[in-house]
Amino acid sequence: MIRVAVADDQRLFCEGIGLMIDSQPDLSFVGAAADGADAVRLARAEHPDVMLMDIRMPVLDGIAATAAIRREVPSGPPRIVVLTTFERDDAVAAALRAGADGFVLKDATPEFILAAVRTVHEGHSVIAPKATTDLFRSLAQRRPEAIAALSVREKEVFLLAARGLGNADIGRTAFISEATVKTHIRSILAKLQLASRVQLVAFAYENGLVR
């Protein structure tokens, strides 16, 4: 069973998520939090596998709560999917940088939300496709110095990865092996202090390096 929790200050929304989760044979709803501080306590107490996290909440917002969970639940923290009602919400990129594993719009279909839960539980990232282009375009600032620490080859791999290419496609484009691509990706994430490829994408658009 995949244990799922939700953090949102709208009680009816939480109840609806709970009913939807419990209707699935492979999912189990383990609790709801009404604010970010409660979300951190819930993560520590119930150890959910996946947490759906609203951005705008009282006491502690979803960005700070995500960062706190990553920091304070070091042993098996939940995978976190950020929920937002806005397609061009700059806070989403900040949440991804804080450690979220993806984001979906609150008006997504139940099927999409359930698929997102299962996908992040498997170790992948989820970004609502309808929202991605407008969201990241609104973040463009053109800051090439942000990747000054990378080598020339790493910059090339970074930009290809930021456009969503997989390792095989990056290798073919840059004429290097997949193993070399993986090595470069690990080095890039370490140098930029990023935790995942989805954070790499957010970082690229935040700094205007990809449009």
Side-chain angles (χ1 to χ4, degrees):
M1 298 289 285
I2 302 173
R3 295 165 54 82
V4 183
V6 62
D8 194 290
D9 60 350
Q10 297 180 29
R11 181 177 175 182
L12 288 178
F13 179 79
C14 290
E15 290 179 356
I17 290 290
L19 291 172
M20 180 179 69
I21 293 298
D22 278 338
S23 72
Q24 303 299 302
D26 60 331
L27 306 179
S28 175
F29 187 66
V30 298
D35 60 60
D38 278 343
V40 179
R41 287 190 286 269
L42 179 61
R44 286 198 300 251
E46 297 296 335
H47 301 286
D49 299 306
V50 177
M51 178 172 279
L52 301 173
M53 179 81 72
D54 191 20
I55 288 182
R56 289 170 174 78
M57 294 185 292
V59 184
L60 199 67
D61 65 27
I63 301 168
T66 294
I69 289 171
R70 286 282 178 261
R71 183 175 63 250
E72 299 177 23
V73 190
S75 179
R79 305 280 289 178
I80 297 175
V81 179
V82 170
L83 300 168
T84 179
T85 56
F86 302 99
E87 292 186 22
R88 296 181 63 174
D89 189 342
D90 293 5
V92 170
L96 296 177
R97 291 290 305 279
D101 299 288
F103 76 94
V104 299
L105 299 179
K106 277 191 173 182
D107 63 359
T109 65
E111 292 77 15
F112 187 91
I113 293 176
L114 292 170
V117 168
R118 295 182 175 105
T119 298
V120 298
H121 181 256
E122 292 173 356
H124 305 293
S125 299
V126 173
I127 296 181
K130 183 173 178 289
T132 305
T133 302
D134 285 344
L135 166 66
F136 288 141
R137 185 182 293 125
S138 72
L139 299 174
Q141 301 171 29
R142 287 293 174 192
R143 292 176 54 200
E145 72 276 7
I147 55 172
L150 305 184
S151 68
V152 173
R153 177 63 88 178
E154 286 172 345
K155 289 175 182 176
E156 181 182 8
V157 172
F158 171 91
L159 292 172
L160 292 171
R163 291 187 172 92
L165 273 66
N167 290 344
D169 289 332
I170 293 173
R172 282 191 291 270
T173 302
F175 299 101
I176 55 178
S177 69
E178 282 192 59
T180 301
V181 173
K182 292 178 181 178
T183 298
H184 284 315
I185 292 293
R186 284 195 298 269
S187 176
I188 291 165
L189 295 178
K191 287 182 178 180
L192 300 181
Q193 297 184 328
L194 303 174
S196 67
R197 290 176 79 128
V198 71
Q199 288 189 17
L200 184 154
V201 174
F203 180 91
Y205 279 93
E206 278 184 308
N207 291 284
L209 300 170
V210 176
R211 293 185 183 274

